[in-house]
Amino acid sequence: MSILETINQPADLRQHSAAELQQLADEIRQLLLTKVSVTGGHVGPNLGAVELTIAWHTVFDSPRDKIVFDVSHQSYTHKILTGRKQAWLDPKHYHDVSGFTEPRESEHDFFTIGHTSTSVGLASGLALARDAKHRHDHITALIGDGSLSGGLAYEALDNAAVLNRQLLIVVNDNQWSIAENHGGIYQNLAQLRKTNGQADHNLFKALGLDYRYVANGNDVESLIAAFKAVKDIDHPLVLHVNTQKGRGFKPALENEEAWHWHGPFNLPDGSPKQVAHGENYWDLILQDLDEHVQAGMPIYAMNAAVPGGFHLKTWAAKYPQRYIDVGIAEQVSITLAAGMAKGGLRPVVFHSATFLQRAYDQLSHDLGINSLPVVLMINGGRISGGDPTHQADLDQAELANIPNLKYLAPTTKEDLLAQLDWALTQTAGPVAIRVPSNGVHSDPLAADFAPTKMHILHHGSQVALMGLGSMRPLAEAVLGQLAASGINATLIDPRSTNTLDPAGLAQLRGLHKLVVTMEEGSLDGGFGQKVAAYFGPTDVNVLTLGAARRFNHNETRDALLEEFKLTPDTATQAILKALKEI
């Protein structure tokens, strides 16, 4: 019988010796690999935190004692130990649980968390609430994978010291962020590892926190001893644990960045089950930026810890002095870029739609108010289901309503590169470009191209279809279906999420009684509402199709597109229904 068969709740761990628990770690590690090879997921972080999680649950009493995972993408072992192992044992149940902690699933999870640097602040709040109720449960924050580089983590550590409540802060130091670590904090962690925690300079002690070090964070026995030693300390303490990201899987050890998160792969060699072919927007963008550098433009490429998603490693190799990775610190990436732009440089900041929200204040205050010509390349903006922490349909409403900031939505590579070239040379203010999420499309650049001038692709009457960004193919499909119903609609590429083309919109009056907007973003505050507001005083009706303003938990993308009437059939039926009601 395997050890895992005997574990149905955390208390079952205490029936086993340290040697048996180390065997359990090996079993869980193989189970993790078996599932993620099919579903994809966070590979390296979970492989490295197996023993740490087993040891914590052996010493502490969850859910009375509480552990808050930073980002929580390393919580797979925690879920297996807290009654959810069926989601790893049975392929039929692989999708029963989230890839992050989720209170809807279990009393052992306390927050839905998918973004970084939050654990210490959340755990401090739990500690304050515990003490206010005169309870005696133990609160632990587990932080790692580069999360210390986020300003929120520093703020929380700074405050934890003066709150002076029982709080265990476990620093899971695997020497990596998503990619390699950047920042002075990690130089200090390296010193602490080198000196077995005895370095004269210690960030945590300097902040007023107690500190202990565990050299072998993948040894269950050492970890159990360390947790027992600090369990009943009545003040904030940092337990710095040295672990190995990707432990037990050779491909993940050889390329930690690629295996931070990985799509489905073949065991045991790690070869991908699907290989991408053809053009991609990021190589086209970097090639265009390269040409500007060769022409003498002071371009700097910047990102916050996710270079792989934008192919920035190739840029960093060619232009190491023109590449900046600020670590998981979206806020400073924007403020730093603002300062660079003010000094005459041309920073281009690469961000994912779902992460850039963390820098909203900097986008508004540092870029918007100061009208600084920073260029933002936004990846992944689309309707997405199954995970509210990485929901990617909120960026349009967020960015499009910042004064002085233009948010462009190209539909083809020709439009994208033309808009990028314009953004790099204009000086009026920040420009964000929502890189299409539906693959590379190509169409000759219009002779009268202007970055915010809407492009009429097909002239018709009665109905005008406006397919924003990645919704252009949908609008084209609906155009065909309407033609089959005897309606010769007009097809429009709007090109911008927030800068309307009044002259172009005015042309639609008279010939059209219904304007239909289609967008991969929240309708509230989105593009469609802006168009509807423009036509409000007129006799033109507007039908807005887009996402509801809500967090999506278990829905698939396909189900959401169906619900939001963003498929050819559902959109066509909604249009025909609207025409009958006019």
Side-chain angles (χ1 to χ4, degrees), residues 14 21-22 108 138 178 182 236 259 284 290 304 330 376 380 389 400 428 523 530 538 568 572:
R14 295 168 205 135
L21 293 178
Q22 195 69 51
H108 297 274
H138 301 87
I178 297 170
H182 292 273
W259 288 91
L284 292 170
D290 193 0
E330 291 84 358
L376 305 165
T389 69
L523 285 175
K530 292 174 174 57
T538 75
T572 301

Side-chain angles (χ1 to χ4, degrees), residues 108-185:
H108 297 274
D109 295 0
F110 305 99
F111 300 96
T112 301
I113 306 172
H115 284 187
T116 188
S117 309
T118 60
S119 61
V120 179
L122 292 170
S124 295
L126 287 174
L128 283 169
R130 172 203 60 205
D131 293 351
K133 295 179 179 180
H134 306 289
R135 299 196 311 263
H136 300 286
D137 43 297
H138 301 87
I139 309 296
T140 299
L142 175 64
I143 187 167
D145 283 337
S147 296
L148 285 172
S149 62
L152 180 59
Y154 174 82
E155 295 170 24
L157 288 168
D158 188 41
N159 279 278
V162 296
L163 289 174
N164 199 29
R165 310 298 174 108
Q166 182 282 319
L167 176 65
L168 176 60
I169 302 166
V170 178
V171 174
N172 177 24
D173 181 7
N174 61 24
Q175 296 93 69
W176 280 84
S177 176
I178 297 170
E180 66 276 1
N181 281 318
H182 292 273
I185 289 173

Side-chain angles (χ1 to χ4, degrees), residues 422-444:
W422 171 81
L424 288 169
T425 55
Q426 63 83 40
T427 57
V431 176
I433 300 177
R434 199 186 206 218
V435 178
S437 61
N438 60 330
V440 176
H441 291 256
S442 180
D443 207 12

Side-chain angles (χ1 to χ4, degrees), residues 2 4 51-52 59 63 74 95 110 171 246 333 359 478 485 490 535:
S2 69
L4 184 58
E51 289 86 359
L52 185 59
V59 174
Q74 73 285 69
H95 298 286
F110 305 99
V171 174
S333 74
V478 172
S485 298
T490 294
F535 284 115

Side-chain angles (χ1 to χ4, degrees), residues 6 54 78 93 266 281 302 323 326 336 404 441 444 467 482 498 523 566:
T6 70
I54 291 172
H78 164 76
H93 294 278
N266 296 305
Y281 280 119
M302 306 170 61
Y323 173 67
V326 299
L336 179 62
N404 299 331
H441 291 256
L482 289 176
N498 68 344
L523 285 175
L566 290 173

Side-chain angles (χ1 to χ4, degrees), residues 299-351:
I299 289 175
Y300 283 70
M302 306 170 61
N303 89 112
V306 286
F310 309 104
H311 298 192
L312 286 171
K313 290 289 188 176
T314 57
W315 177 274
K318 186 171 185 178
Y319 297 113
Q321 301 305 315
R322 291 174 178 260
Y323 173 67
I324 300 172
D325 185 336
V326 299
I328 305 180
E330 291 84 358
Q331 297 92 331
V332 78
S333 74
I334 301 302
T335 300
L336 179 62
M340 293 166 68
K342 184 68 174 181
L345 302 179
R346 301 297 297 190
V348 180
V349 190
F350 294 75
H351 269 298

Side-chain angles (χ1 to χ4, degrees), residues 27 75 77 96 100 140 161 199 202 211 266 359 391 481 500 542 545 558:
E27 293 175 12
S75 64
T77 300
D96 286 0
F100 303 89
T140 299
N202 184 312
Y211 173 88
N266 296 305
Q391 192 164 318
Q481 291 202 17
L500 298 182
V542 178
L545 302 179
D558 287 344

Side-chain angles (χ1 to χ4, degrees), residues 165-243:
R165 310 298 174 108
Q166 182 282 319
L167 176 65
L168 176 60
I169 302 166
V170 178
V171 174
N172 177 24
D173 181 7
N174 61 24
Q175 296 93 69
W176 280 84
S177 176
I178 297 170
E180 66 276 1
N181 281 318
H182 292 273
I185 289 173
Y186 299 105
Q187 295 176 19
N188 189 227
L189 290 183
Q191 287 181 328
L192 290 167
R193 291 194 305 272
K194 185 177 180 179
T195 61
N196 202 39
Q198 300 303 310
D200 292 336
H201 298 289
N202 184 312
L203 166 70
F204 307 107
K205 288 184 176 181
L207 289 171
L209 297 163
D210 199 354
Y211 173 88
R212 305 281 178 88
Y213 179 70
V214 179
N216 188 352
N218 293 107
D219 177 68
V220 172
E221 188 171 7
S222 297
L223 288 164
I224 289 175
F227 281 132
K228 286 182 176 179
V230 302
K231 180 179 181 180
D232 293 319
I233 288 177
D234 63 357
H235 55 268
L237 181 143
V238 170
L239 186 66
H240 178 190
V241 181
N242 179 29
T243 62

